[in-house]
Amino acid sequence: MNKRNGLAIRRVRSLKIGHVFSRRAAGQRRRLRPRWVVAAAIGGVAVAVATFLVVDSDSAPAGPRELTSDQAGRLAVTRFLNFQAGGRAMTINVPGTAGELTFTGSIDYRGKIGYGVVRGTGRDTSSDGLIQWTAANVLVHPMVNAPAKAPARPPGSGWYSRPLQKHGSSLDSSLAIALKLGSDRPDNAELLPQNGAAWVGRDRLDGHQVDIMTGPSAERATSGTAGTSGTAGASGTAGASGTAGAVRYWIGSDGTMYRVRVGVASASRPVVIDFDTQKYVPVRPVPGVTPAR
């Protein structure tokens, strides 16, 4: 386990959920008892994207099964590790009836801003170009011949601004979800299983052995104690209409997030977000533009 993730786990222990990272002695099992009355913040991800999600109909590889304490601990810390890293490089594949859109770039999880290039496959080039976004605003720089990777310094002109769409745009929904995959604190590992999080299988991804887990369902995250945490309502989408399903995470043995798959209401197939597909490049704001948060 590297130094970065070790620090994160110590942070979790300071929040009194570190016991979920220790291995139980052979033959000893202790049932976790809820100690917090607030809902897991990771449940807020399900709530935040409730407007966008649809049920993922793919069958689970081997589960679902109840999370072990170790698995719950890794799921609880995975978004915090993204924040602690500062940012992550990623590729987002967005399916559509007119063809697929692929975003390649980075998200600064501390600055809450993303930047990269969007290219279409099997469709026209009307959506191709550079893109920079926050939770509230999107800047687009159309390009007929978009590069495979965005320049480290965004160009100083040729940008168009628009609000990030909350409904009807698979791309905007995917960008909003990607921003939610970082958090400035670990989640409550004890409440994750209670709110529907589960283990569904194992996989090997780019040389990493990973566990596949689902996060809390939006319906359960918005009921019961979830409504008392303040995190659900913070997104502004709590209680929004639309059918929601669980987000699926591919998580390494140290809690690192390697892939996320989520159904989006305006897309025919799930959106897939893969991390570390290229080198992380720090996100620089478009010159002369103050990003709207």
Side-chain angles (χ1 to χ4, degrees):
M1 182 180 299
N2 58 37
K3 182 178 180 181
R4 182 196 71 181
N5 294 0
L7 291 173
I9 290 175
R10 286 198 292 273
R11 171 74 179 274
V12 173
R13 286 172 177 165
S14 71
L15 294 174
K16 298 183 180 181
I17 63 173
H19 62 282
V20 300
F21 290 94
S22 62
R23 299 288 186 181
R24 302 296 188 225
Q28 293 181 338
R29 293 183 179 272
R30 291 184 291 181
R31 185 177 301 276
L32 295 175
R33 293 173 296 177
R35 297 177 183 173
W36 297 359
V37 296
V38 298
I42 201 167
V45 175
V47 174
V49 300
T51 305
F52 306 135
L53 300 179
V54 294
V55 174
D56 182 355
S57 60
D58 290 354
S59 59
R65 301 175 186 169
E66 183 177 351
L67 292 174
T68 66
S69 59
D70 173 75
Q71 291 162 356
R74 284 186 280 140
L75 183 59
V77 81
T78 191
R79 294 194 307 132
F80 175 63
L81 293 180
N82 283 345
F83 178 86
Q84 190 184 47
R88 299 285 301 275
M90 67 184 64
T91 296
I92 306 175
N93 291 304
V94 185
T97 55
E100 185 175 89
L101 286 175
T102 300
F103 165 83
T104 305
S106 301
I107 289 182
D108 179 343
Y109 279 112
R110 296 186 181 183
K112 299 180 181 179
I113 185 171
Y115 168 66
V117 61
V118 173
R119 303 175 73 187
T121 302
R123 56 184 297 156
D124 59 39
T125 61
S126 61
S127 298
D128 290 12
L130 305 179
I131 190 167
Q132 186 167 112
W133 80 99
T134 65
N137 190 63
V138 177
L139 293 170
V140 293
H141 185 288
M143 301 177 74
V144 175
N145 297 307
K149 295 182 180 180
R153 293 180 179 273
S157 61
W159 294 90
Y160 300 89
S161 177
R162 61 172 176 81
L164 185 141
Q165 298 180 44
K166 302 295 184 182
H167 308 275
S169 169
S170 299
L171 177 61
D172 282 20
S173 297
S174 302
L175 299 178
I177 291 167
L179 277 180
K180 294 288 184 180
L181 297 177
S183 175
D184 62 359
R185 67 196 65 187
D187 299 304
N188 186 339
E190 292 186 0
L191 287 181
L192 291 176
Q194 296 178 36
N195 286 330
W199 178 91
V200 295
R202 291 190 176 90
D203 199 359
R204 191 165 185 84
L205 193 64
D206 296 329
H208 302 283
Q209 192 69 39
V210 296
D211 284 288
I212 308 171
M213 309 179 207
T214 58
S217 65
E219 290 88 348
R220 296 183 68 173
T222 54
S223 63
T225 59
T228 67
S229 69
T231 57
S235 67
T237 58
S241 61
T243 303
V247 184
R248 187 166 290 191
Y249 301 86
W250 278 248
I251 299 177
S253 60
D254 60 354
T256 299
M257 185 185 300
Y258 288 107
R259 173 177 288 173
V260 172
R261 190 177 73 187
V262 56
V264 174
S266 50
S268 57
R269 302 187 310 279
V271 169
V272 177
I273 303 171
D274 284 307
F275 291 87
D276 302 332
T277 49
Q278 68 278 339
K279 182 180 179 181
Y280 173 72
V281 178
V283 177
R284 300 174 182 266
V286 171
V289 176
T290 300
R293 306 296 180 184

